[in-house]
Amino acid sequence: MWAVPAIAVDMNVSGVVHVVDGDTIDVGRTRVRLFGIDAPEADQTCVGADAAVLPCGAWVTAQVRAIYQGEHANCVRVDTDRYGRTVARCDVAGNDIGQTLVARGLAFSYPRYSRDYIDLEASARRAAVGVHAYEILRPADYRATRRVGSKVNRGAGHQTVVSDCLLKGNINAMGARIFHAPGQRDYSRTKINPAKGERWFCTAAQARAAGWRAARR
């Protein structure tokens, strides 16, 4: 009797879907990061044509949950990511989940890892479906803005956050999110406190897509 190699067992995962977020699902007892796509982060915002800031990340998660929660998925493992999650291609009823999400504008292609969904994303963008109807950062760029300002200089009894990006995303006492550019009146006295959710931005487009508006002076 032949023994089944362990890798052959590990390559396939199937089970009932529980949606964690736009690109992460539990399949049975296995946490799966969908291969080749990148969905907006759960706390990510977008900006509408009327400049309204909308919770697009939470909306995407809700949409993916409405489509796939409780369905039965079959997945083929591609890799394991740094968080220990199984990275896999998954399908429900023979339809590729990643393909469906990108086509509906609920996720972006992730060219860093796969070029399979680039054309689908371009079509969704032209049709302005899903999040493409709004101004939104690619999720990888959004995550980068959250990392900016993480370097801290310590000395002389104080610490100062520094950044290679120059726009200061401040949250004022009223909760308004305002970004300041070098040369504006309040730029030099504006301090960034990441613990409050404040951050640095590299471009005005990044700041607006994350939910900040430009300072008026």
Side-chain angles (χ1 to χ4, degrees), residues 166-190:
L166 299 178
L167 301 184
K168 295 180 177 180
N170 176 250
I171 302 175
N172 69 17
M174 302 298 293
R177 299 183 176 195
I178 303 170
F179 69 89
H180 302 263
Q184 291 190 295
R185 188 191 68 178
D186 297 323
Y187 182 82
S188 61
R189 65 182 181 182
T190 297

Side-chain angles (χ1 to χ4, degrees), residues 88-165:
R89 299 178 184 273
C90 298
D91 71 76
V92 168
N95 297 311
D96 178 55
I97 295 177
Q99 185 178 60
T100 298
L101 296 183
V102 174
R104 295 190 182 191
L106 300 176
F108 294 80
S109 63
Y110 209 172
R112 177 179 175 184
Y113 298 104
S114 172
R115 302 185 65 80
D116 291 352
Y117 305 112
I118 291 177
D119 291 343
L120 268 179
E121 182 194 316
S123 295
R125 190 180 296 278
R126 286 193 296 271
V129 298
V131 298
H132 301 301
Y134 307 95
E135 183 179 353
I136 186 171
L137 289 178
R138 298 187 74 85
D141 293 335
Y142 174 74
R143 292 190 293 271
T145 68
R146 294 194 300 186
R147 291 192 295 268
V148 168
S150 61
K151 296 184 293 183
V152 176
N153 284 344
R154 291 180 173 85
H158 66 279
Q159 61 183 36
T160 305
V161 177
V162 298
S163 171
D164 293 330
C165 295

